[in-house]
Amino acid sequence: VQLQASGGGLVQAGGSLKLSCTASGRTFSSYHMGCFRQAPGKEREFVAAITWNGGSTYYADSAKGRFTISRDNAKNTVYLQMNSLKPEDTAVYYCAKLTRPGWYQPSSYDYWGQGTQVTVSS
């Protein structure tokens, strides 16, 4: 499985970005997927996750009400819509495939994309 993240960039506080994560392979529609972020000097932290069919979603408290995770299985792609961005959202954002129970732990995911940089200026 290869995951390719894109959509990051520089945005002013209060702005929006939409990240995409596209997967290779024909079994993407069976994967539960997660999004994480890692700021310099900090541990990787959970942002959001979505079940294989999009029927359930999970969010970190910091993302609730501002971020929306979705997926299009026909395009092998997961999206993270980020609104009302804050400087503290600045980080490298990663997508990953869930391999075992535990939505919020990075160790529950086995395949990771390369990450895309999001920078929010104040």
Side-chain angles (χ1 to χ4, degrees):
V1 177
Q2 290 188 329
L3 301 173
Q4 181 72 38
S6 62
L10 174 64
V11 64
Q12 289 189 331
S16 299
L17 282 174
K18 187 173 184 178
L19 307 184
S20 299
C21 175
T22 301
S24 63
R26 294 174 292 176
T27 56
F28 172 79
S29 60
S30 66
Y31 303 156
H32 300 321
M33 298 293 295
C35 292
F36 287 75
R37 67 186 182 187
Q38 188 165 19
K42 295 188 177 181
E43 293 186 352
R44 191 165 298 190
E45 66 174 0
F46 173 80
V47 175
I50 188 166
T51 54
W52 67 276
N53 62 351
S56 294
T57 56
Y58 306 88
Y59 295 95
D61 288 343
S62 60
K64 287 177 183 176
R66 299 188 300 128
F67 295 2
T68 302
I69 190 169
S70 62
R71 66 191 297 158
D72 184 342
N73 285 341
K75 296 182 178 180
N76 279 15
T77 302
V78 171
Y79 303 100
L80 184 67
Q81 176 68 47
M82 305 186 295
N83 299 327
S84 302
L85 283 162
K86 306 174 182 179
E88 50 264 44
D89 294 318
T90 295
V92 177
Y93 283 70
Y94 299 90
C95 59
K97 169 186 162 292
L98 187 76
T99 190
R100 62 178 65 88
W103 294 105
Y104 308 106
Q105 291 79 39
S107 60
S108 298
Y109 297 78
D110 56 354
Y111 288 96
W112 292 80
Q114 86 286 2
T116 185
Q117 176 71 47
V118 172
T119 303
V120 184
S121 63
S122 57

